Amino acid sequence: MISVEDALAQVFALTDPAPTEVVPLVQAAGRVLRAPVRAGRDQPPFAASAMDGYVVAGQVAPGQTFRVTGEAAAGHMFAGRVGPGEAVRIFTGAPVPDGGTHVVIQEDVSRDGDTITLLDSLGNGPNIRPQAQDFRAGDQISAPRRLRGVDLGLIASMNCAEVTVTRRPDVAIIATGDELVMPGENPRADQIIASNAFALKAMAEAEGASARILPIARDTEASLRAVFDLAQGADMIVTIGGASVGDHDLVGPVADSLGATRSFYKVALRPGKPLMAGRLGKALLLGLPGNPVSSIVCGHLFMRPALRAMLGLGHYPLPTASAALACDLPANGPRAHYMRAALGPEGTIDPVASQDSALLSLLAQAGALLVRPPNDGPRKAGEQMRYIPLDL
């Protein structure tokens, strides 16, 4: 068995970045930006009023009077110039006319016809946003990064209508086993529902992939070969179950017969020891365990980081955080243990009562995977422990 760290490093070594494509900005939410975006204009593109009021020239003081010569609104600039003793009625966002140095807010003004008088409440600020206060033409947003809503707003304000992003990796998910039926079907007394594929599909899509669940591969070489054939063209093939060494575990032998190269098999990990990785054609091949918790935990530890690498976000494990342990824990064994745990309201973390890898309901209730390194000694309540947030 190899360590989790070595296994992930080998998965990364098998991972190729996906190509890029250009998409309209309206379709770019959540995509991974792969080329910098450069601003096509200043923002704001002109000195703009920050308030509703009157723009004047020169110094201001209470009691001064000015003659109103025009009006400027957002999208409707005043074409003239503001001279001494003159004022232009102006509204928030409007360009400041030439000569204007100060916007007096309307609350600090008394108006009588075309004459305004500055009141004793006069403030000090010029209330003008300088041209390029936010950014200048040529400033850029760096890549790679996952595009959030605020990023799209910033790119739009830069007057950029398209962005270069990573093409969505195509993930083909294959559940294996005669014991499985799809949700909604009528299982026999000796069958169970295929659930893992739906969790893995959702996780892959949340990372930015395009995922498809292929038909269940039965426990025959012919069936598994046929389903592998449907996965052609995928960037990643994820199999569920059948990757161990039992008489009905056919994923490895059939993948080998199709030309797969295997990088490793078995990881010093709980849950999820029977994990396989390799390449099948141009695709990364991940063989995950069949137990629900084992499968999903391995999806977090290996599939998600591999997808992020394909998207151009680098070769990194999932980020961790720390919290105070809510209870004592005995020493850990020789395998790294990723324990389902609940996060408490006061920065604590509490492992769930049972770590049975078949209990999917407890994983659904957990908010984190508490990380126990191999041969980790006993831990006392209150000690700081690392964990992986389960945000997907």
Side-chain angles (χ1 to χ4, degrees):
M1 289 188 292
I2 64 173
S3 69
V4 172
E5 293 76 16
D6 287 345
L8 184 56
Q10 293 190 44
V11 168
F12 284 145
L14 297 165
T15 302
D16 295 325
T20 61
E21 61 183 2
V22 177
V23 300
L25 192 59
V26 72
Q27 298 176 10
R31 303 295 293 273
V32 173
L33 183 71
R34 286 285 292 278
V37 178
R38 289 177 172 80
R41 67 189 321 220
D42 294 343
Q43 179 62 23
F46 42 74
S49 177
M51 305 290 284
D52 292 345
Y54 295 84
V55 59
V56 299
Q59 299 297 316
V60 294
Q64 283 182 300
T65 60
F66 299 85
R67 180 172 60 89
V68 180
T69 61
E71 182 175 292
H76 301 279
M77 65 184 297
F78 177 73
R81 182 178 180 83
V82 181
E86 295 178 337
V88 171
R89 178 70 164 126
I90 196 166
F91 297 92
T92 303
V96 174
D98 289 344
T101 60
H102 194 111
V103 173
V104 182
I105 65 174
Q106 59 191 18
E107 292 85 356
D108 292 343
V109 169
S110 172
R111 179 167 180 169
D112 183 10
D114 288 336
T115 301
I116 62 169
T117 302
L118 307 189
L119 303 177
D120 291 342
S121 59
L122 181 67
N124 295 322
N127 299 314
I128 294 174
R129 296 189 177 105
Q131 180 174 343
Q133 181 185 40
D134 196 2
F135 56 80
R136 295 188 177 278
D139 286 354
Q140 69 177 35
I141 297 174
S142 62
R145 67 172 64 204
R146 196 181 296 277
L147 292 172
R148 307 164 299 163
V150 66
D151 299 317
L152 299 182
L154 179 57
I155 293 169
S157 68
M158 290 178 164
N159 199 28
C160 299
E162 297 178 329
V163 287
T164 300
V165 298
T166 310
R167 175 180 60 75
R168 295 186 186 276
D170 178 22
V171 179
I173 301 172
I174 303 172
T176 69
D178 287 344
E179 76 277 15
L180 299 177
V181 297
M182 293 296 282
E185 296 182 6
N186 294 316
R188 300 191 310 262
D190 57 355
Q191 290 183 309
I192 59 174
I193 307 301
S195 58
N196 303 355
F198 295 89
L200 294 168
K201 181 178 187 292
M203 291 161 59
E205 290 176 341
E207 289 294 350
S210 176
R212 47 196 170 109
I213 297 176
L214 300 184
I216 295 170
R218 300 306 173 187
D219 289 329
T220 67
E221 292 190 13
S223 177
L224 190 53
R225 281 174 173 272
V227 181
F228 268 129
D229 189 57
L230 297 176
Q232 288 187 15
D235 300 294
M236 178 187 293
I237 300 172
V238 179
T239 63
I240 305 167
S244 191
V245 291
D247 292 343
H248 301 284
D249 294 314
L250 302 175
V251 170
V254 171
D256 291 345
S257 72
L258 294 173
T261 56
R262 281 196 267 178
S263 181
F264 65 83
Y265 166 66
K266 289 189 180 179
V267 180
L269 165 68
R270 292 180 59 198
K273 181 177 72 171
L275 177 78
M276 179 184 72
R279 290 195 70 87
L280 181 57
K282 295 182 178 181
L284 168 65
L285 176 63
L286 285 179
L288 305 187
N291 277 334
V293 174
S294 301
S295 180
I296 294 171
V297 168
C298 288
H300 283 295
L301 297 180
F302 298 99
M303 183 187 74
R304 290 178 60 194
L307 286 172
R308 293 182 181 187
M310 286 182 178
L311 289 164
L313 294 174
H315 293 179
Y316 304 103
L318 293 185
T320 62
S322 63
L325 191 60
C327 62
D328 293 348
L329 286 178
N332 188 35
R335 290 186 283 162
H337 194 184
Y338 291 79
M339 304 178 72
R340 286 159 286 172
L343 295 172
E346 298 181 355
T348 59
I349 187 165
D350 190 10
V352 300
S354 174
Q355 297 294 320
D356 189 319
S357 62
L359 302 181
L360 186 56
S361 60
L362 294 181
L363 180 59
Q365 297 169 22
L369 293 175
L370 176 65
V371 182
R372 299 292 309 276
N375 302 308
D376 189 39
R379 295 287 186 164
K380 294 291 187 181
E383 289 191 62
Q384 290 290 313
M385 300 289 291
R386 304 300 296 177
Y387 70 89
I388 297 173
L390 294 181
D391 51 355
L392 296 183

